[in-house]
Amino acid sequence: MKKRKKIKKAALVFFAVVCVVAVYVLSVNFYIIGSAKKSIVSRSETAFLKNIDCVLVLGCGVRPDGSPSDMLGERIQEGSGTFKVCSADYLFLTGDGSSRDGYDEPAVMKRVCIQEYGIAEEKIKTDIYGLSTYDSIMNARKDGVKKLVIITQSYHMPRALFIARQLGLEAYGVEAHLLRYPAQILWSAREVLARNKDFIKCIF
């Protein structure tokens, strides 16, 4: 009988802990998503933003043949289009390019911006140490950026804007059009946890 009571008590404690964690995780997500809404603008609205240091395009996958993944292609297209509309000083292309095996997201992004969208090479800066969203935005700040427009997909945008604000930057976001990706549910679920990770990271 005592053993059964102990098991029941342990189960209740476990359930309470799970509930507290779930409430915390969801609360952080609602806060980050809600606080980002006022900073998300359209491409055309960026024309009215003044003193923009850069348009920052966050990197993601590159195919083995050296072409951008669909998701990265959307970001490059929107980033190039936004850069042409707004008064930013330069286009900041950031991603993973530090490995020794030739994998270089910023190099691919730069090539596409120049060859397909006609962006002048001298208007482009690349960051090969953008290994995470946090790293990419921190590296932009280290480059002297104070005010920027961030380009990424809608599911990823709230976290990017939150990080930028926590690092003391004035940030706006233009969402890249989101195609239907087979793994979107998985990415969105991962983003729930990633928001909590970066929430804690930005605090400490």
Side-chain angles (χ1 to χ4, degrees):
M1 198 71 175
K2 288 183 178 179
K3 186 176 181 181
R4 189 175 294 177
K5 285 184 177 179
K6 287 182 179 180
I7 293 174
K8 187 177 180 180
K9 186 176 181 181
L12 288 173
V13 170
F14 176 76
F15 179 73
V17 170
V18 170
C19 288
V20 169
V21 171
V23 169
Y24 166 76
V25 169
L26 292 175
S27 296
V28 168
N29 273 266
F30 285 137
Y31 169 72
I32 290 177
I33 292 171
S35 63
K37 290 181 178 179
K38 61 183 179 181
S39 299
I40 297 174
V41 298
S42 66
R43 181 194 297 186
S44 60
E45 288 175 317
T46 63
F48 302 100
L49 299 176
K50 305 299 182 184
N51 302 316
I52 299 293
D53 295 313
C54 75
V55 172
L56 183 147
V57 184
L58 293 166
C60 57
V62 170
R63 297 190 179 101
D65 65 359
S67 63
S69 63
D70 290 339
M71 184 172 282
L72 182 57
E74 288 183 329
R75 296 182 188 184
I76 297 169
Q77 181 179 21
E78 186 56 59
S80 298
T82 298
F83 180 71
K84 292 177 180 179
V85 169
C86 75
S87 58
D89 294 335
Y90 60 94
L91 191 59
F92 193 83
L93 309 176
T94 174
D96 182 2
S98 60
S99 61
R100 296 179 180 178
D101 59 3
Y103 184 86
D104 193 337
E105 292 170 3
V108 172
M109 296 161 75
K110 181 178 180 179
R111 187 190 73 238
V112 175
C113 285
I114 294 171
Q115 294 180 358
E116 296 188 20
Y117 298 107
I119 305 298
E121 186 173 2
E122 62 269 19
K123 290 291 185 178
I124 297 175
K125 288 187 180 182
T126 57
D127 164 37
I128 63 172
Y129 298 106
L131 306 182
S132 69
T133 306
Y134 183 91
D135 290 339
S136 291
I137 297 172
M138 173 62 82
N139 292 342
R141 192 181 81 163
K142 289 178 179 178
D143 195 56
V145 170
K146 295 180 180 179
K147 187 174 181 179
L148 75 164
V149 176
I150 298 173
I151 309 294
T152 189
Q153 274 75 23
S154 57
Y155 80 95
H156 184 214
M157 184 65 77
R159 179 160 61 100
L161 289 171
F162 172 78
I163 292 170
R165 289 196 304 273
Q166 292 301 306
L167 292 178
L169 306 179
E170 183 178 347
Y172 299 87
V174 176
E175 297 172 339
H177 175 66
L178 184 62
L179 296 171
R180 291 188 177 183
Y181 297 104
Q184 185 57 52
I185 294 176
L186 179 62
W187 293 334
S188 296
R190 174 186 172 278
E191 192 66 17
V192 171
L193 300 177
R195 290 182 192 123
N196 281 268
K197 173 184 68 71
D198 281 336
F199 179 81
I200 294 171
K201 187 172 184 178
C202 285
I203 291 174
F204 293 104

